[in-house]
Amino acid sequence: MTQITPFGYLPDGRTVWQITLRGGGLTAQMLTYGATLRDLRLDGHAPPLVLGFDHFAPYIDHPGYFGAIVGRCANRIKDGRFTLNGTRFQLDPNNGPNHLHGGSNGTAHRLWTIAAHTDHSATFTLISPAGEMGYPGTLTISLVISLLPGGVLDLQFSATTDAATLCNLAHHSYFNFGGANILSHRLQITAAHYLPVDAALIPTGQVAVTAGTAFDFQTAKPLAAACATTAIDHNFCLTHAPQNPGNSLPLRRVAALYTKAIAMDLLTDQPGLQIYDAARMNLPVPGLDGKIYGAYAGLAMEPQLWPNAINHQDWAQPVLNPGHSYTQHTQFRFARQSTPE
């Protein structure tokens, strides 16, 4: 039977609820705060698969988007500015002069509603009013998260608006299948190109080849090799097709993460995959099972549209218009491994 229990309280006194889902050999605990995946376990594998916290306070005191849904527009928008249908908009600048993950009160910091649930699935909904964080239009968002046979964590997003706006949602879990960090994890990404960034982590506009660089993960390799030479907080280009919200690509395998104990395949219909190695992570409080989260404690793997795309008109655009729907389908498929990969 599905369990829904209080997990904590927001500063204004509102209750944050936790729902526990079980199915497909997985157990997931989700919070209404940010539609956050707080904990994820695979039968027969003791350590958690994601980073999270045993108590609510760290989600407020040390915000790092742990397991949250980020938006309205995931990733960075340069100077928090864009033009849509001839009108210039200024968004909340919460990352220096830039706008990150929907702003200081984006979807990751909002209290979502559990609209429906079963033992193995839950539907989370959120209404973002017009003007919130500077965005035009009222955005109505739905996320159906399901635990499916075969160790599958399935996420299906949809959103509609009453005025032209931006929409680019992303799930922001940090993955770690056991150990102090992810440097021994092996990463594979089906991407021949990536987006170089400037000092503020804004894409320069160049689309560069991965071959011969630290960003070439077309064949699986340990993260330690790449992290020794560069910091990774970049978008990997899964396609150059001009797909827009509501006109998604097919669900297909785009990446994988391995240890000797666990294999995870990532499938999505999105054109980009943001990878962040958490090199800058250094938390003063323990995470799940008392684990300390320092540098490289987890790997964020975030399917989405390309960052700052609204300011690059030749990239797939995050524009959502009335009468159309934003959709995203992403799956994380987990399996235990009895022999080294």
Side-chain angles (χ1 to χ4, degrees):
M1 184 175 181
T2 305
Q3 295 177 325
I4 301 179
T5 56
F7 185 74
Y9 300 91
L10 293 177
D12 63 10
R14 287 179 295 163
T15 301
V16 175
W17 297 92
Q18 175 176 272
I19 183 170
T20 300
L21 305 175
R22 295 180 176 87
L26 293 169
T27 300
Q29 293 184 311
M30 301 278 304
L31 304 181
T32 51
Y33 181 74
T36 293
L37 178 61
R38 187 188 72 81
D39 196 352
L40 182 67
R41 310 274 175 149
L42 179 66
D43 290 353
H45 180 74
L49 303 173
V50 297
L51 304 190
F53 301 98
D54 291 319
H55 307 284
F56 182 62
Y59 289 99
I60 298 294
D61 298 337
H62 306 284
Y65 308 101
F66 290 88
I69 301 303
V70 296
R72 291 184 190 191
C73 202
N75 222 306
R76 292 170 175 84
I77 296 177
K78 182 177 174 59
D79 297 325
R81 297 173 184 164
F82 67 94
T83 299
L84 182 60
N85 298 333
T87 300
R88 188 75 164 165
F89 293 93
Q90 176 66 61
L91 303 176
D92 175 46
N94 65 320
N95 185 237
N98 304 310
H99 179 78
L100 175 64
H101 291 330
S104 57
N105 196 35
T107 59
H109 307 294
R110 294 285 309 281
L111 201 60
W112 295 55
T113 297
I114 301 174
H117 63 83
T118 69
D119 288 348
H120 68 275
S121 69
T123 300
F124 290 81
T125 59
L126 178 69
I127 296 176
S128 175
E132 187 170 59
M133 300 290 98
Y135 286 100
T138 296
L139 188 70
T140 301
I141 308 169
S142 174
L143 166 64
V144 180
I145 183 164
S146 306
L147 305 181
L148 304 180
V152 177
L153 173 68
D154 183 90
L155 296 92
Q156 298 194 47
F157 299 83
S158 61
T160 58
T161 183
D162 61 0
T165 191
L166 305 191
C167 186
N168 178 26
L169 303 170
H171 175 71
H172 200 293
S173 276
Y174 292 94
F175 296 96
N176 182 325
F177 304 152
N181 57 55
I182 44 82
L183 294 178
S184 65
H185 288 46
R186 296 170 62 85
L187 176 65
Q188 185 273 324
I189 308 173
T190 306
H193 296 83
Y194 76 103
L195 300 183
V197 296
D198 63 18
L201 300 175
I202 302 291
T204 63
Q206 179 188 8
V207 179
V209 298
T210 58
T213 75
F215 301 98
D216 187 0
F217 292 96
Q218 294 180 86
T219 299
K221 65 181 181 182
L223 280 156
C227 294
T229 60
T230 189
I232 304 174
D233 194 354
H234 294 73
N235 174 79
F236 288 76
C237 307
L238 307 177
T239 181
H240 286 186
Q243 304 298 127
N244 294 318
N247 186 24
S248 296
L249 295 158
L251 182 72
R252 77 280 190 211
R253 181 188 179 279
V254 299
L257 187 65
Y258 307 99
T259 64
K260 292 182 178 181
I262 296 292
M264 183 188 80
D265 286 336
L266 170 55
L267 295 84
T268 190
D269 57 8
Q270 296 298 286
L273 178 64
Q274 185 77 13
I275 299 291
Y276 172 46
D277 61 11
R280 302 185 296 275
M281 188 175 291
N282 182 22
L283 295 186
V285 296
L288 293 174
D289 295 349
K291 189 174 179 180
I292 299 301
Y293 296 155
Y296 307 108
L299 186 72
M301 304 176 70
E302 313 158 42
Q304 58 189 262
L305 294 166
W306 296 4
N308 198 37
I310 188 61
N311 292 311
H312 294 274
Q313 294 303 304
D314 54 337
W315 295 356
Q317 290 297 289
V319 176
L320 180 63
N321 289 301
H324 296 268
S325 294
Y326 166 92
T327 61
Q328 181 192 143
H329 190 187
T330 291
Q331 290 186 341
F332 301 92
R333 298 181 178 178
F334 299 90
R336 287 187 296 138
Q337 300 201 113
S338 57
T339 58
E341 71 276 6

